Amino acid sequence: MLKKILLLFFCFALSLSCLMPCVYAAPITSGAQSLALMEKETGTLIYAQNEHEQLEPASVTKVMTLLLVMEAIADDRLHYEDMLSVSDHAASMGGSQVYLKVGEQMSVSDLIKAVCVASGNDAAVCLAEAVAGSEESFVERMNARAKELGMNETHFLNCTGLPAEGHVTSAYDIALMSRELILNHPDIRNYTTIWMDTLRNGTFQLANTNKLIRFYDGATGLKTGSTDSALYCLSATAERDGMELIAAIMKAPTSAERFETAKNLLSYGFANYTLVDVYPNEALPTIPVNMGKKGSVQPIFSSRDKILMEKTKVSTVEKSMELEESISAPVEEGQPIGTLTITSEGKTLTTIPLVAGESVDRLSYWDIVQKILHEALFIA
């Protein structure tokens, strides 16, 4: 039986600025056709408008290209210092490019820079071929990865976002793949936060197509896109006070409108939401172990997740902890032994399992005999 041994009610201390009323009470006005605002840590969708509508993403497609490249680097299948040779196919790409020549060699690091800063289609294809052998095979991996991430409105036909009938995604799916990239591959910031840089030993100038990098406080990326049919798209990321947000904008009528919409979405999120650490500062009490080689076990949290909350509701958070009175050996590390429940205004926000922090073996017959003899000698 679980017995409630601890019930704590508390208010989370926040700065005065965190207790300010919502700045954006009304829905965000935008000429963009589809919008989504997501928090990175929890994946919570904060604001959305037509977020599941299938539309052309243009070069925002390259978020998935970059994700697969960064996963290849993480898996040691590709390295930043690797020198790649440009194929005929990569060099033939139109649209945004860094004008790679057939046979030219460029490092993986510089090619990633070319994709993130200048949206180079030729650089994207060169990286795709290095990861999968061909763009066609790479696109198969893009679609497989999209399916794994739950991107149900997405179908890729190339790794660049160049116009192709049936090459579509949604604002929600853009937020999903953007979250996966920035959550698990934070090194991408080394490239997405560049405002101006060069390639080819300083002879080729780069300027970031994402103007928020220079003009929005806390901007961390991520990728722009535009074609005549897709109009103006953007996945914009920014971080303030330890919280990173993703704003996905699709089919804005002008470039200025997509950036203004992104700023409004991000500012709305930062003004109204915060990440709350729900874990108590004090150590958790140990639990007695019956017939164990150790007399007790230390419970720990199974995860260290935070909760996304409206700032105006932070003071309503309450938590209750339930732990087993005792448990019998053997105890396995990670074995459930309690729960921490977080509520607000009578509604359960989350329940976090408490688990055994270590294994405890059961006493053997010989252990019991030795223990009895030891106690008898001690008493004597």
Side-chain angles (χ1 to χ4, degrees):
M1 286 283 296
L2 284 175
K3 179 181 178 182
K4 187 173 291 186
I5 64 170
L6 184 60
L7 179 62
L8 298 174
F9 297 92
F10 65 96
C11 295
F12 292 92
L14 296 172
S15 65
L16 188 59
S17 62
C18 287
L19 300 176
M20 292 174 64
C22 297
V23 176
Y24 297 88
I28 293 169
T29 301
S30 172
Q33 193 160 326
S34 179
L35 309 172
L37 178 66
M38 181 178 287
E39 190 278 318
K40 177 192 74 175
E41 199 71 26
T42 64
T44 302
L45 192 64
I46 296 174
Y47 185 92
Q49 175 185 311
N50 301 326
E51 71 276 18
H52 294 294
E53 184 174 357
Q54 285 186 313
L55 297 166
E56 295 178 60
S59 282
V60 178
T61 297
K62 297 186 180 84
V63 172
M64 180 59 81
T65 301
L66 290 168
L67 173 60
L68 295 188
V69 169
M70 296 303 290
E71 288 178 342
I73 291 171
D75 293 341
D76 210 30
R77 292 179 283 119
L78 198 64
H79 309 90
Y80 288 116
E81 64 274 13
D82 289 348
M83 299 299 294
L84 305 184
S85 294
V86 179
S87 69
D88 290 343
H89 179 54
S92 71
M93 290 297 108
S96 300
Q97 55 185 298
V98 291
Y99 304 98
L100 296 175
K101 304 298 182 184
V102 177
E104 179 180 359
Q105 289 200 322
M106 188 171 286
S107 70
V108 167
S109 181
D110 277 353
L111 288 165
I112 294 173
K113 185 197 300 182
V115 172
C116 292
V117 180
S119 196
N121 293 321
D122 44 3
V125 172
C126 190
L127 287 166
E129 291 173 338
V131 171
S134 68
E135 184 183 10
E136 183 179 29
S137 295
F138 187 82
V139 171
E140 290 179 3
R141 297 190 188 186
M142 292 172 71
N143 285 314
R145 194 70 179 94
K147 186 176 181 180
E148 291 172 357
L149 294 175
M151 296 169 60
N152 298 323
E153 290 90 41
T154 296
H155 182 65
F156 295 119
L157 292 171
N158 57 56
C159 69
T160 60
L162 285 168
E165 185 68 30
H167 184 98
V168 293
T169 187
S170 66
Y172 180 74
D173 285 1
I174 287 173
L176 286 180
M177 66 178 176
S178 299
R179 176 178 182 253
E180 186 71 14
L181 177 60
I182 64 176
L183 179 66
N184 295 312
H185 306 281
D187 286 353
I188 197 65
R189 281 191 183 193
N190 296 333
Y191 302 94
T192 58
T193 56
I194 293 171
W195 174 239
M196 298 189 75
D197 208 328
T198 62
L199 294 174
R200 302 183 178 101
N201 298 317
T203 62
F204 188 86
Q205 300 293 319
L206 297 176
N208 204 320
T209 57
N210 182 4
K211 306 310 176 188
L212 298 182
I213 294 301
R214 183 175 181 184
F215 298 110
Y216 188 79
D217 180 32
T220 57
L222 189 60
K223 191 70 200 73
T224 60
S226 64
T227 64
D228 290 343
S229 53
L231 299 184
Y232 295 90
C233 305
L234 175 65
S235 175
T237 58
E239 182 176 21
R240 293 181 186 173
D241 299 323
M243 181 174 72
E244 192 164 13
L245 301 178
I246 304 153
I249 294 93
M250 299 193 76
K251 211 162 189 176
T254 66
S255 179
E257 175 104 4
R258 69 175 165 184
F259 290 126
E260 190 63 26
T261 298
K263 288 193 292 184
N264 289 339
L265 280 170
L266 293 168
S267 295
Y268 169 82
F270 289 128
N272 292 291
Y273 291 85
T274 186
L275 283 174
V276 176
D277 190 344
V278 299
Y279 302 97
N281 295 324
E282 67 274 12
L284 299 178
T286 58
I287 297 177
V289 177
N290 301 322
M291 296 296 290
K293 289 189 175 182
K294 289 187 64 176
S296 64
V297 66
Q298 177 67 54
I300 62 173
F301 295 104
S302 61
S303 65
R304 297 297 301 182
D305 298 334
K306 295 184 178 182
I307 293 178
L308 183 73
M309 292 199 66
E310 292 181 51
K311 288 182 176 180
T312 56
K313 294 184 178 180
V314 168
S315 61
T316 69
V317 172
E318 300 171 350
K319 64 180 178 179
S320 62
M321 193 182 308
E322 294 181 334
L323 291 170
E324 295 278 6
E325 285 185 338
S326 64
I327 50 178
S328 298
V331 178
E332 297 293 330
E333 183 178 358
Q335 178 180 324
I337 52 178
T339 58
L340 175 69
T341 302
I342 311 300
T343 61
S344 172
E345 299 178 334
K347 179 182 177 182
T348 298
L349 302 179
T350 188
T351 300
I352 303 166
L354 302 174
V355 300
E358 60 182 330
S359 297
V360 179
D361 293 331
R362 186 176 179 83
L363 289 170
S364 65
Y365 176 77
W366 180 239
D367 290 328
I368 296 172
V369 170
Q370 285 185 308
K371 184 177 181 180
I372 292 173
L373 291 175
H374 176 77
E375 290 174 355
L377 289 172
F378 180 79
I379 292 173

